[in-house]
Structure formats: structure tokens, C-alpha cells
Amino acid sequence: MDPYRIDSHKLIYHPSRVSQWLKGEDIYPIYIEIGPSGACNHRCIFCALDYLEYQKRFIDKDILIKKVSEMASCGVRSIMYAGEGEPLLHKEIGGLILHTKKVGIDVALTTNGVFFSEKVAQQCLGSLTWVRFSLDAGMRSTYAKVHRCSKGDFAKVLANLSYAVKLKKEKKYDCTIGVQFLLIPENCQDTIKATTLLKKIGVDYLIIKPYSQHLLSHYTIDKNFHYNDYLYLEKELQNFSTDDFKIIFRTQAMKKIEDKEKVCKHCLGLPFWAYIDSSGDVWACSAYLGNSNFLYGNINKNSFSEIWKGTKRKQVLQMVETELDITHCRKACRLDEINRYLWNLKHSPEHVNFI
């Protein structure tokens, strides 16, 4: 059960923006992901961005506040704070979340959860549309192994989750509290333990998702590990699912990891999203951070509108359309479902009027 369409896409709820795109108009993005911190307190073995080497850099708060206000006026609908590092290492993250909500943008947070303390929860939980903890384990020994951190961090994260759930209920906040579990050989034995723990804590959902090999990341999954061998877990874990606790087993994404076929010939979804890293660089795709061919500009030097309407962005999109071989891109990437949807809109089959 996937009420949030995590294993699908949500462009169907933005028909006016999609219609503008179909007409060839230069639209502003619906969603932006921002990495406020390049640093991280963990060294997860599966980190897709480990090649960036966890630089201790932090996005300028005052500049970002100004740019977020501008993004709201441009029609940006949502911002997720996550990124190359741990977003809660940014000392002003609470204020950034509050401001994002204040200007009318839906705001979310993905975190390893170690620093989502009672103080942080009290400051910003009520402003978040959702928060998602990356747990990836059901025992402290497994957690320490896959997150490459102190064993004590596992207990901290569970305590922070428990407090967030308690605060949400007390204050009647709308924030959805979720947890994700990246299924890899090193933790696959922990799925039932993790599910049991999280149901007891009272989070809203648990996602079980596959690992997608990044082009430059150091970690490589065991070649003998196949997601098709673990699809049985979906039925097993659904026994834990209730109206208040959802299991989102990303079956579609797992099948795509095993599938060698690419439905689309080009990446079409880039106009609908953007990525801003901890140095202020604005990127077309988070899978190509560090590759200047995908760099639009920098918010420390230009306004968001100047970057989005600028010549460099047009050049990047032209390169993606005419030169990028997407067979070399990550499988089941963030935009995969969006690309399939847009591809079908642009290349409709016969008899579409016979609904």
C-alpha cells in the first residue's frame, strides 16, 4: 500500500504545469532538493555521494532565505532538505524550515535522525509536511555496520523517532513521520526486526527500497544479490500494515533494478525539479553532482530566476536531449517514473480517444 505514491510519481496532480511543458513553455520547477550541509556524521556504506568526500561546507542561511522567497514567487511548490551530507548539521536548519513554510512552500526533511532532538522537533515538526529517517537496520550492530558509526547512535535515533511521534500526537501536527530501509546484503536479515520496532514506536510508514548504483559511488552491491529473490518480503511485511502504519515496499523499483530495458530514450523530467548543493550550485541532476556539464549556476552569484532562465541551463537541457545516453544513468532513478509518464504523453499510442 503506497498512499504517498513513493513508488510512482505525482506529476498527474500538476496538469497545468505539465500542459505548459507540453506546449513548449519554459516552466519553473515544482520541486527542489536542497543540501544545506556537505558534512555528515555517518559514513554509510551505501552512500551514493561518498565520492564528494563529505566536505565541511554549509549553505549561506541569509542567501538561501532570500532565494527561497524568490522560489515561492516563481511557483516552486515543495522543497526537501537532504543533500550530500546530513542536513541537521547546518546550525540554522530549523530557521530555514520555518521560513520555507512561512513563504508558502511545502517543506520536508530527510535525515539520519541522530540530531533530530527534542529541541529540533519542537522547533520545526509542525512546519514539516513530512520527515523521513534513514534507519536501514533493526539492530544496533547492523546499524553501526551499514552506517559506519557508533552503536549508540541507533538508540538515539529510536528515541528521537519516539519523541517526534509523541509530539505529533500531542500537538495534532499534520507532519507525516516515515522511515526508510535501503535493502542491501548487509542488512536484509533485519527487515522483520525493523518493522516490529517501528510499528511499536508508531511511525506512519516504513519504506523498503532497493539500492541503485550511482555512477561514481565507491560501494558496489554484491553481484549475487538479486532483488527478485526478496520480493516475497512484500507479502510477509504487509502482515504488519494497519490503517496507522503503512508498509511501502518498492516492488516497481526493485524490478527496474533487475530490468535492463529503458522505456524512454531521453530524460524529460529535468524542467520539473532542481538540486541545490551546500555550496549554492544549482544542478540539473543529483546523479551528476560535480560534473560541470550539468551545472546551471550558483545562488551566491545570481538570482534563482536568472539561473533558471539563463543561457547555461538552456545549454544543459539541450545537451541532455541530444547527447546524454541514459542507458548509463542510474537504474530506477528519482525521475524514472516521471520520465515514463512524460514520454507516453509525448509519444502517445494509437486510439487514445477511445477511453
Side-chain angles (χ1 to χ4, degrees), residues 35-42 54 58 81-90 93 109-116 134:
S37 166
C40 191
N41 56 312
H42 286 179
Y54 311 101
F58 303 91
Y81 289 105
E84 326 86 271
E86 167 52 47
L88 292 180
L89 284 176
H90 194 293
I93 186 62
L109 173 71
T110 295
T111 172
N112 61 41
V114 175
F115 299 117
F116 200 80
S134 297

Side-chain angles (χ1 to χ4, degrees), residues 27 128 137 210 229:
I27 60 170
L128 289 166
D229 296 333

Side-chain angles (χ1 to χ4, degrees), residues 316-335:
V316 171
L317 293 181
Q318 178 66 20
M319 178 274 296
V320 168
E321 182 178 353
T322 59
E323 299 176 30
L324 181 65
D325 182 358
I326 65 168
T327 61
H328 297 150
C329 291
R330 294 177 73 178
K331 292 184 177 181
C333 80
R334 181 76 60 84
L335 296 180

Side-chain angles (χ1 to χ4, degrees), residues 99-301:
H99 178 76
T100 305
K101 180 66 174 179
K102 181 181 178 182
V103 297
I105 296 177
D106 290 342
V107 56
L109 173 71
T110 295
T111 172
N112 61 41
V114 175
F115 299 117
F116 200 80
S117 62
E118 293 186 9
K119 181 179 178 181
V120 171
Q122 290 166 4
Q123 181 184 18
C124 64
L125 192 68
S127 295
L128 289 166
T129 301
W130 55 263
V131 58
R132 185 179 302 153
F133 286 52
S134 297
L135 191 64
D136 315 299
M139 301 185 297
R140 67 174 188 163
S141 57
T142 307
Y143 185 82
K145 179 181 180 180
V146 299
H147 279 248
R148 289 195 287 194
C149 64
S150 165
K151 288 184 179 180
D153 279 1
F154 186 64
K156 289 180 184 177
V157 173
L158 295 182
N160 291 342
L161 265 174
S162 298
Y163 181 77
V165 169
K166 177 186 175 184
L167 184 64
K168 173 186 172 176
K169 291 178 179 177
E170 287 179 354
K171 299 292 185 179
K172 295 182 170 55
Y173 289 146
D174 291 330
C175 177
T176 302
I177 301 173
V179 174
Q180 72 178 19
F181 188 112
L182 185 68
L183 190 67
I184 53 177
E186 292 84 351
N187 66 9
C188 57
Q189 75 285 349
D190 272 24
T191 53
I192 299 297
K193 289 186 178 72
T195 305
T196 303
L197 269 174
L198 296 168
K199 183 174 183 178
K200 184 177 180 180
I201 288 172
V203 302
D204 294 303
Y205 67 83
L206 167 64
I207 300 172
I208 308 292
K209 61 181 286 188
Y211 172 78
S212 175
Q213 182 67 52
H214 190 279
L215 306 173
L216 299 174
S217 59
H218 301 318
Y219 176 81
T220 303
I221 200 166
D222 185 341
K223 293 180 179 180
N224 296 316
F225 185 82
H226 300 289
Y227 284 105
N228 287 336
D229 296 333
Y230 290 86
L231 296 181
Y232 74 90
L233 282 172
E234 178 176 22
K235 186 176 181 180
E236 194 169 320
L237 294 175
Q238 287 302 337
N239 292 325
F240 291 86
S241 187
T242 66
D243 290 341
D244 298 321
F245 178 63
K246 303 290 191 300
I247 300 293
I248 301 170
F249 195 87
R250 296 199 59 185
T251 305
Q252 274 199 115
M254 291 186 187
K255 289 180 177 178
K256 289 175 190 174
I257 295 296
E258 303 288 356
D259 191 1
K260 295 182 179 180
E261 182 184 359
K262 279 282 185 182
V263 174
C264 312
K265 294 182 180 179
H266 307 293
C267 181
L268 302 174
L270 298 182
F272 296 90
W273 100 307
Y275 183 99
I276 301 176
D277 71 16
S278 54
S279 71
D281 281 337
V282 184
W283 300 90
C285 178
S286 60
Y288 291 95
L289 300 186
N291 185 334
S292 60
N293 291 324
F294 294 83
L295 178 62
Y296 292 157
N298 187 288
I299 62 171
N300 297 308
K301 300 176 182 178

Side-chain angles (χ1 to χ4, degrees), residues 57-106:
R57 62 187 189 189
F58 303 91
I59 203 161
D60 186 280
K61 180 201 71 170
D62 295 329
I63 290 176
L64 184 58
I65 280 178
K66 182 179 179 181
K67 296 304 189 291
V68 166
S69 297
E70 182 192 0
M71 291 171 196
S73 67
C74 292
V76 172
R77 304 295 297 275
S78 65
I79 287 175
M80 179 178 75
Y81 289 105
E84 326 86 271
E86 167 52 47
L88 292 180
L89 284 176
H90 194 293
K91 294 180 180 179
E92 303 294 339
I93 186 62
L96 291 171
I97 289 170
L98 295 179
H99 178 76
T100 305
K101 180 66 174 179
K102 181 181 178 182
V103 297
I105 296 177
D106 290 342

